[in-house]
Amino acid sequence: MNPEKIIEDARKSISRFCINECKSYCCRKGYLILRERNLELVTQNKSKELIKKKIVIKLKNNKYSLNMDIDGCPSLKEYKCAIHKNQDRPEACKQFPIFIKGNTIRLSPRCLAVKCGLFYPYISILLKNGFILQEKEFYHDLEIYKLLPETKKQVL
Ligand code: SF4
Ligand code: SF4
Protein backbone atom coordinates (compact mmCIF):
# COMPACT_ATOMS: atom_id res chain seq x y z
CA MET A 1 0.00 0.00 0.00
CA ASN A 2 1.22 3.47 -0.87
CA PRO A 3 -0.67 6.02 1.29
CA GLU A 4 0.53 8.96 -0.84
CA LYS A 5 -1.06 7.37 -3.92
CA ILE A 6 -4.30 6.62 -2.07
CA ILE A 7 -4.52 10.21 -0.81
CA GLU A 8 -3.77 11.60 -4.27
CA ASP A 9 -6.51 9.41 -5.76
CA ALA A 10 -8.87 10.61 -3.01
CA ARG A 11 -8.17 14.28 -3.81
CA LYS A 12 -8.67 13.72 -7.53
CA SER A 13 -11.93 11.86 -6.94
CA ILE A 14 -13.71 14.98 -5.66
CA SER A 15 -12.76 17.47 -8.39
CA ARG A 16 -16.24 17.57 -9.99
CA PHE A 17 -17.91 17.73 -6.60
CA CYS A 18 -15.70 20.72 -5.69
CA ILE A 19 -16.79 22.70 -8.75
CA ASN A 20 -20.41 21.63 -9.17
CA GLU A 21 -21.61 20.98 -5.63
CA CYS A 22 -19.35 22.79 -3.20
CA LYS A 23 -18.58 25.67 -5.56
CA SER A 24 -15.03 25.83 -4.23
CA TYR A 25 -15.90 26.88 -0.70
CA CYS A 26 -12.28 26.50 0.46
CA CYS A 27 -11.15 29.05 -2.16
CA ARG A 28 -13.83 31.55 -1.15
CA LYS A 29 -13.63 31.51 2.64
CA GLY A 30 -10.92 31.84 5.25
CA TYR A 31 -7.29 32.81 4.97
CA LEU A 32 -4.49 31.52 2.79
CA ILE A 33 -0.86 31.96 3.82
CA LEU A 34 1.35 32.92 0.89
CA ARG A 35 5.08 33.09 0.50
CA GLU A 36 7.05 35.64 -1.48
CA ARG A 37 7.46 33.11 -4.31
CA ASN A 38 3.73 32.51 -4.81
CA LEU A 39 2.34 35.94 -3.89
CA GLU A 40 2.11 37.31 -7.45
CA LEU A 41 1.03 33.96 -8.87
CA VAL A 42 -1.94 33.56 -6.51
CA THR A 43 -2.94 37.23 -6.56
CA GLN A 44 -2.71 37.33 -10.37
CA ASN A 45 -0.12 40.13 -10.11
CA LYS A 46 -2.43 42.26 -7.98
CA SER A 47 -0.55 42.07 -4.69
CA LYS A 48 0.04 45.83 -4.42
CA GLU A 49 -3.62 46.62 -4.96
CA LEU A 50 -4.70 43.92 -2.49
CA ILE A 51 -2.19 45.07 0.14
CA LYS A 52 -3.60 48.60 -0.20
CA LYS A 53 -7.12 47.24 0.36
CA LYS A 54 -5.82 45.20 3.34
CA ILE A 55 -7.05 42.01 1.67
CA VAL A 56 -3.43 40.88 1.70
CA ILE A 57 -1.47 41.55 4.88
CA LYS A 58 2.28 41.16 5.21
CA LEU A 59 3.26 38.87 8.06
CA LYS A 60 6.64 38.08 9.58
CA ASN A 61 9.22 35.93 7.75
CA ASN A 62 8.23 37.25 4.33
CA LYS A 63 4.84 35.56 4.47
CA TYR A 64 1.49 37.07 3.54
CA SER A 65 -2.05 36.40 4.62
CA LEU A 66 -4.74 36.50 1.93
CA ASN A 67 -8.27 37.11 3.22
CA MET A 68 -10.61 35.19 0.92
CA ASP A 69 -13.83 36.12 2.76
CA ILE A 70 -14.38 39.28 0.71
CA ASP A 71 -13.86 38.37 -2.96
CA GLY A 72 -12.49 34.84 -2.76
CA CYS A 73 -9.06 33.89 -4.04
CA PRO A 74 -7.97 36.03 -7.03
CA SER A 75 -7.00 32.82 -8.86
CA LEU A 76 -10.50 31.38 -8.61
CA LYS A 77 -12.26 31.64 -11.98
CA GLU A 78 -15.77 30.22 -12.37
CA TYR A 79 -15.19 27.98 -9.36
CA LYS A 80 -11.98 26.56 -10.86
CA CYS A 81 -8.40 27.26 -9.83
CA ALA A 82 -6.69 29.04 -12.72
CA ILE A 83 -3.25 27.97 -11.49
CA HIS A 84 -4.11 24.37 -10.65
CA LYS A 85 -1.31 22.92 -12.79
CA ASN A 86 1.33 25.36 -11.58
CA GLN A 87 3.81 23.69 -9.23
CA ASP A 88 4.40 26.99 -7.43
CA ARG A 89 0.89 27.23 -6.02
CA PRO A 90 0.78 27.04 -2.21
CA GLU A 91 1.34 23.68 -0.53
CA ALA A 92 -1.97 24.08 1.35
CA CYS A 93 -3.79 24.31 -2.00
CA LYS A 94 -2.04 21.20 -3.28
CA GLN A 95 -2.92 19.15 -0.23
CA PHE A 96 -6.29 20.42 0.97
CA PRO A 97 -8.38 18.78 2.38
CA ILE A 98 -6.13 15.80 3.15
CA PHE A 99 -2.75 16.52 4.64
CA ILE A 100 -0.15 13.79 4.79
CA LYS A 101 3.12 14.03 6.67
CA GLY A 102 5.08 10.93 7.54
CA ASN A 103 2.66 8.49 9.11
CA THR A 104 0.07 11.09 9.92
CA ILE A 105 -2.93 11.84 7.74
CA ARG A 106 -5.23 14.70 8.63
CA LEU A 107 -8.61 15.45 7.14
CA SER A 108 -10.02 18.95 7.38
CA PRO A 109 -13.67 18.92 8.43
CA ARG A 110 -14.01 22.42 6.89
CA CYS A 111 -14.31 20.51 3.65
CA LEU A 112 -17.79 19.58 2.46
CA ALA A 113 -16.49 16.40 0.85
CA VAL A 114 -15.08 15.32 4.22
CA LYS A 115 -18.36 16.21 5.94
CA CYS A 116 -20.27 14.19 3.35
CA GLY A 117 -18.02 11.17 3.87
CA LEU A 118 -16.85 11.12 0.23
CA PHE A 119 -13.40 9.97 1.29
CA TYR A 120 -14.68 6.96 3.19
CA PRO A 121 -13.70 4.41 0.49
CA TYR A 122 -10.11 5.69 0.63
CA ILE A 123 -10.03 5.97 4.43
CA SER A 124 -11.39 2.46 4.53
CA ILE A 125 -8.36 1.20 2.57
CA LEU A 126 -6.03 2.96 5.02
CA LEU A 127 -7.89 1.50 8.00
CA LYS A 128 -7.62 -1.98 6.52
CA ASN A 129 -3.87 -1.43 6.19
CA GLY A 130 -3.13 -0.64 9.82
CA PHE A 131 -3.98 3.04 10.14
CA ILE A 132 -6.13 4.01 13.12
CA LEU A 133 -8.41 6.95 13.69
CA GLN A 134 -7.11 9.19 16.46
CA GLU A 135 -8.92 11.78 18.54
CA LYS A 136 -9.96 15.06 17.02
CA GLU A 137 -7.54 17.93 17.47
CA PHE A 138 -7.79 21.66 17.07
CA TYR A 139 -5.29 23.49 14.92
CA HIS A 140 -6.11 27.16 14.52
CA ASP A 141 -9.77 27.06 13.49
CA LEU A 142 -9.58 23.55 12.11
CA GLU A 143 -10.82 20.38 13.68
CA ILE A 144 -8.46 17.64 12.54
CA TYR A 145 -8.63 13.89 12.46
CA LYS A 146 -5.47 11.88 12.60
CA LEU A 147 -4.88 8.49 11.18
CA LEU A 148 -1.80 6.83 12.51
CA PRO A 149 -0.34 3.44 11.62
CA GLU A 150 -1.08 0.87 14.28
CA THR A 151 2.28 -0.75 13.83
CA LYS A 152 5.57 0.28 12.31
CA LYS A 153 5.93 -3.20 10.84
CA GLN A 154 3.55 -2.47 8.01
CA VAL A 155 4.95 -1.76 4.59
CA LEU A 156 4.12 1.81 3.60
S1 SF4 B 1 -14.18 22.56 0.68
FE1 SF4 B 1 -13.69 20.47 0.06
S2 SF4 B 1 -15.36 19.89 -1.34
FE2 SF4 B 1 -15.34 22.12 -1.16
S3 SF4 B 1 -14.07 22.82 -2.85
FE3 SF4 B 1 -12.76 22.66 -1.07
S4 SF4 B 1 -11.85 20.59 -1.23
FE4 SF4 B 1 -13.64 20.65 -2.57
S1 SF4 C 1 -4.67 29.25 -5.51
FE1 SF4 C 1 -6.24 27.98 -6.44
S2 SF4 C 1 -6.56 26.30 -4.99
FE2 SF4 C 1 -5.48 27.92 -3.90
S3 SF4 C 1 -7.11 29.10 -2.90
FE3 SF4 C 1 -6.66 30.06 -4.87
S4 SF4 C 1 -8.11 29.19 -6.32
FE4 SF4 C 1 -8.05 27.88 -4.50
Side-chain angles (χ1 to χ4, degrees):
M1 184 195 59
N2 178 350
E4 299 264 2
K5 170 86 173 65
I6 293 166
I7 298 306
E8 197 45 44
D9 289 348
R11 289 194 197 105
K12 280 183 190 158
S13 74
I14 61 162
S15 55
R16 280 193 187 172
F17 179 87
C18 292
I19 297 164
N20 299 330
E21 308 294 330
C22 183
K23 308 253 183 246
S24 300
Y25 172 84
C26 54
C27 306
R28 297 184 287 109
K29 293 286 169 197
Y31 293 84
L32 180 64
I33 301 301
L34 304 175
R35 293 173 186 273
E36 202 79 64
R37 68 170 181 272
N38 45 40
L39 177 66
E40 294 307 333
L41 175 71
V42 173
T43 62
Q44 304 278 303
N45 295 314
K46 289 181 187 150
S47 70
K48 283 187 187 141
E49 184 188 323
L50 296 176
I51 287 171
K52 216 180 267 179
K53 289 182 180 170
K54 294 192 166 54
I55 290 174
V56 170
I57 292 170
K58 192 165 197 288
L59 307 171
K60 291 175 187 168
N61 304 330
N62 289 328
K63 289 183 182 171
Y64 297 83
S65 170
L66 167 66
N67 182 350
M68 299 188 291
D69 284 337
I70 300 162
D71 293 322
C73 174
S75 285
L76 188 64
K77 311 284 177 199
E78 295 174 4
Y79 303 122
K80 290 181 192 166
C81 176
I83 58 168
H84 182 68
K85 290 188 178 160
N86 194 312
Q87 278 309 304
D88 289 334
R89 73 199 162 101
E91 200 52 37
C93 299
K94 288 180 191 165
Q95 291 207 29
F96 193 88
I98 309 181
F99 300 89
I100 179 162
K101 194 173 179 188
N103 290 334
T104 303
I105 295 167
R106 299 179 297 172
L107 273 70
S108 169
R110 280 187 71 214
C111 168
L112 188 60
V114 172
K115 284 180 191 161
C116 292
L118 298 187
F119 293 117
Y120 184 73
Y122 301 92
I123 297 303
S124 173
I125 296 170
L126 293 169
L127 290 172
K128 280 180 192 153
N129 281 277
F131 278 71
I132 54 169
L133 181 64
Q134 293 266 300
E135 285 177 33
K136 295 174 187 177
E137 276 186 4
F138 289 92
Y139 178 73
H140 299 300
D141 62 334
L142 302 181
E143 190 181 340
I144 293 170
Y145 298 86
K146 272 189 177 179
L147 288 158
L148 294 176
E150 235 166 7
T151 165
K152 288 182 182 168
K153 284 183 194 162
Q154 68 188 300
V155 181
L156 297 179

